Amino acid sequence: MAEKAPDTPIKATCHCGDISITAPRRPACVNECQCTLCRRYAVAWAYYDPAEVKVEIKEGAATIKYIWGDRDHSFDFCTKCGCMCYWWPIKEQSTPKMGLNTRLVDPDEMRYVTRNIDYDQLYVPIGEGTPHPEDKAKY
């Protein structure tokens, strides 16, 4: 498959197809965050301004949210197939950002995108929230 232009929109769908997310462009890189939560989800995040992303949920379908720690983000899963779809900011941010799980995107669309494994989050305190027992941050 030939490489597509970087500004070509990408579409992510959960396994059953009830949840679809469209981002305006392919990301420059994908982050495989190693925090206590993301490494368990085995996600590969692309980050966007939430205003740029369109989330579509089929009639009768739903997401379930997991909110933990500093309560800054909602991690949203499809209730039917269980796929981790995205994280969404709950609290207002100075630089709005949400994460799209690129593992839900056709692999050919992501073939030429650089992958980073980010270990920095291992040592970042979770605000005022309750730390995970495996959290390596100093509080």
Coordinates of all heavy atoms in Angstrom, one line a residue, residues 4 39 45 114 129 137:
K4 N -0.1 7.4 2.4 CA -1.0 8.5 2.1 C -0.5 9.8 2.7 O 0.4 9.8 3.5 CB -2.4 8.1 2.8 CG -3.1 7.0 2.2 CD -4.5 6.8 2.8 CE -5.2 5.7 2.1 NZ -6.5 5.5 2.6
R39 N -0.3 0.9 30.0 CA 0.4 -0.3 29.6 C -0.5 -1.5 29.7 O -0.3 -2.5 29.0 CB 1.7 -0.5 30.4 CG 1.5 -0.7 31.9 CD 2.9 -0.6 32.6 NE 2.6 -0.6 34.0 CZ 3.0 -1.5 34.9 NH1 3.7 -2.5 34.5 NH2 2.7 -1.4 36.1
W45 N -1.4 5.7 21.6 CA -2.2 6.9 21.6 C -1.7 7.9 20.5 O -0.5 8.0 20.3 CB -2.1 7.7 22.9 CG -2.7 7.0 24.1 CD1 -2.0 6.6 25.2 CD2 -4.0 6.6 24.3 NE1 -2.8 6.0 26.1 CE2 -4.1 6.0 25.6 CE3 -5.2 6.7 23.5 CZ2 -5.3 5.5 26.1 CZ3 -6.4 6.2 24.0 CH2 -6.4 5.6 25.3
T114 N 5.7 6.9 13.2 CA 6.7 6.6 14.2 C 6.0 6.2 15.5 O 5.1 6.8 15.9 CB 7.7 7.8 14.5 OG1 8.3 8.1 13.2 CG2 8.7 7.5 15.5
G129 N -4.8 12.7 43.3 CA -5.5 11.4 43.3 C -4.8 10.3 44.1 O -3.7 10.5 44.7
A137 N 6.1 7.1 41.0 CA 6.3 8.5 41.3 C 6.6 8.8 42.8 O 6.1 8.0 43.6 CB 5.1 9.3 40.8

